[in-house]
Amino acid sequence: SLCFTSIEVPERLTVSHEALIKNGLADRCVSVPVREATDADILLVHSEEYLEAVKKTPYMTLEDLKEFTLQYGDVYFHPNIYHCAKLAAGAALQLVDSVMTGKVRNGMALVRPPGHHSMSSAANGFCVFNNVAIAAQYAKQKYGLKRVLIVDWDVHHGQGVQYCFEDDPSVLYFSWHRYEHQKFWPQLRESDYDSVGKEKGAGFNINVPWNKVGMKNSDYLSVFCHVLLPVAYEFCPDLVLVCAGFDSAIGDPEGEMCASPDIFAHLTHLLMNLAGGKLCAVLEGGYNLTSLPQSVCQTVQTLLGDPAPRPANLDGPCESALESLHCVRSAHRQYWSCLKHAGIKGDEEKSQEEQVWPEPPKRVTPPIRAALVLPNGVACPDGCESFGASEDADPVIVNKLRYVAAACNA
Ligand SMILES: [Zn+2]
């Protein structure tokens, strides 16, 4: 079980934020103000009974709180947690609003408590409200999105997210997680690769169980390249949400994996090609106070548009990872065209029909690509538009310039 009192600590956020400042990344970000999630937001995922019960926790005695907590698994209720949990979910929603309205291209919400273990009527595994599940429902409802992809790279299975969407084909949930043939927390049968979703949602729940610890960069990249990305391209999401837990990085006491923090630059970069770049990452786990901030910085720097560092020591996936990978591909073969030949040997039939295809749609170049401040006396380069400091420029253009400048720190 998770040992929450010693690892899910406030320092997780402070060291992450300090690292963003120290690496010059915080300055390049647009800060999005936080808000509390409303009852209506929370009820998108949670039951009224559960919300009402959590609402009472700030007024409970410590003894009552302890008893209240005992009905759930591996979670602790502090008198402040209802307030913090509302802010955590609200932060995810503010990020969704900022991305969906084009105020920012993408972003990351650094929040506590995490959310992906929380269920409709139960807190679980440090989680009170399911921040990312609420964000997905909110995005669908407010912006009419047809398809949302949730990528859960935390080392634990976000069973709360799975339960929320397992019969829902509009939300594709992908999770890899330490499993060890059901010996690792939360030790659920339904975390295995053959839980593919139910009814209309069959095929829209992808579980990749890690049956050994010590998984490395090659293992993570293989699963992205051979499972997640082909399916994600076929799914064609309108928005990508990431359950961004960094307990899957090296040094974490929970995960015991060996992937280096820079792998998150690659994972992030690969996801930025989907949904027109609309990506919201929301912090989940991550308990090593050295590798957590490093991983957060790798993710944020990539979201800002910097190229990913060259990956080192890619020596191919290990046998256990390959076995999991093949099991997942086979389990999903019937749902996704890109996997229909998974596990099948032999020649493919070649189509003899004449091929026709539509002209590729026109790609419109955004009016302003980058903004920079030129030193005095330097001429404006060709293809650039110049604005004087005192000039009455179109406020819409000025606004766009400000956002682009904020995004690239030019
Ligand atoms: Zn975790």
Side-chain angles (χ1 to χ4, degrees):
S1 86
L2 300 172
C3 177
F4 49 82
T5 44
S6 59
I7 61 170
E8 212 291 275
V9 292
E11 288 73 19
R12 297 179 55 234
L13 289 192
T14 50
V15 296
S16 298
H17 189 237
E18 278 160 17
L20 288 172
I21 294 170
K22 202 183 101 204
N23 289 293
L25 297 170
D27 270 352
R28 296 169 58 190
C29 293
V30 175
S31 291
V32 175
V34 71
R35 72 166 169 92
E36 288 186 359
T38 64
D39 285 6
D41 298 330
I42 294 164
L43 292 172
L44 288 169
V45 163
H46 297 281
S47 70
E48 208 154 345
E49 297 83 338
Y50 175 65
L51 173 59
E52 292 307 316
V54 176
K55 269 186 190 175
K56 294 195 181 97
T57 58
Y59 312 103
M60 287 183 185
T61 62
L62 279 181
E63 209 157 286
D64 288 344
L65 273 176
K66 268 184 199 159
E67 205 180 309
F68 178 76
T69 299
L70 281 177
Q71 65 184 306
Y72 306 122
D74 301 284
V75 65
Y76 170 75
F77 277 80
H78 183 274
N80 285 342
I81 203 166
Y82 171 53
H83 178 64
C84 294
K86 275 192 293 184
L87 288 175
L93 302 184
Q94 288 285 82
L95 180 55
V96 165
D97 279 335
S98 302
V99 167
M100 288 312 302
T101 57
K103 188 182 170 200
V104 296
R105 185 172 305 192
N106 55 39
M108 176 157 196
L110 290 175
V111 300
R112 283 181 65 237
H116 70 153
H117 297 306
S118 156
M119 294 166 251
S120 167
S121 295
N124 183 262
F126 312 160
C127 303
V128 176
F129 299 135
N130 201 315
N131 308 320
V132 169
I134 293 170
Q137 293 290 39
Y138 177 87
K140 274 169 53 186
Q141 192 189 64
K142 184 162 179 185
Y143 299 99
L145 303 188
K146 298 275 186 294
R147 288 175 305 278
V148 177
L149 168 65
I150 299 178
V151 177
D152 189 338
W153 70 42
D154 187 282
V155 87
H156 299 97
H157 182 216
Q159 84 278 37
V161 184
Q162 172 169 317
Y163 298 151
C164 188
F165 299 111
E166 59 192 342
D167 58 359
D168 183 350
S170 70
V171 177
L172 171 59
Y173 177 59
F174 167 94
S175 172
W176 64 31
H177 35 267
R178 183 172 169 188
Y179 190 59
E180 295 175 291
H181 303 285
Q182 212 180 320
K183 291 202 171 63
F184 188 68
W185 191 92
Q187 296 165 303
L188 299 170
R189 174 66 188 86
E190 61 267 33
S191 303
D192 212 350
Y193 66 86
D194 53 356
S195 288
V196 297
K198 292 177 175 166
E199 292 155 35
K200 276 187 190 163
F204 297 89
N205 189 84
I206 303 180
N207 284 332
V208 181
W210 299 124
N211 288 318
K212 289 209 163 113
V213 295
M215 292 298 166
K216 296 191 270 187
N217 292 356
S218 304
D219 303 303
Y220 286 11
L221 279 181
S222 289
V223 168
F224 256 55
C225 293
H226 296 289
V227 178
L228 175 60
L229 291 173
V231 172
Y233 267 87
E234 194 172 328
F235 180 63
C236 195
D238 304 310
L239 174 68
V240 179
L241 302 176
V242 181
C243 287
F246 298 104
D247 41 14
S248 44
I250 192 163
D252 193 276
E254 277 292 317
E256 296 183 44
M257 298 300 177
C258 292
S260 56
D262 54 289
I263 198 62
F264 295 103
H266 292 274
L267 304 186
T268 303
H269 188 246
L270 290 168
L271 296 178
M272 285 166 69
N273 296 319
L274 299 160
K278 290 194 209 57
L279 188 158
C280 302
V282 181
L283 183 68
E284 296 282 359
Y287 306 101
N288 179 310
L289 296 178
T290 304
S291 91
L292 168 66
Q294 291 172 345
S295 302
V296 167
C297 286
Q298 292 290 331
T299 303
V300 170
Q301 189 166 355
T302 307
L303 289 176
L304 284 163
D306 288 5
R310 287 157 58 107
N313 308 320
L314 291 183
D315 46 9
C318 71
E319 224 174 289
S320 174
L322 266 182
E323 198 188 316
S324 297
L325 198 152
H326 287 309
C327 288
V328 179
R329 283 171 57 95
S330 292
H332 280 274
R333 186 164 62 202
Q334 59 181 302
Y335 306 109
W336 301 98
S337 320
C338 58
L339 301 179
K340 71 180 167 195
H341 300 298
I344 298 173
K345 286 185 179 132
D347 288 336
E348 289 172 36
E349 277 179 46
K350 297 233 162 53
S351 167
Q352 299 295 316
E353 287 166 43
E354 194 190 337
Q355 292 179 302
V356 287
W357 59 91
E359 199 180 325
K362 212 171 186 154
R363 294 171 61 187
V364 182
T365 308
I368 294 153
R369 300 294 296 262
L372 53 137
V373 178
L374 295 169
N376 279 336
V378 174
C380 186
D382 281 351
C384 292
E385 253 187 284
S386 159
F387 297 91
S390 59
E391 215 170 303
D392 269 340
D394 178 347
V396 176
I397 293 178
V398 170
N399 222 16
K400 274 191 184 165
L401 275 171
R402 197 181 305 135
Y403 289 132
V404 178
C408 64
N409 195 30

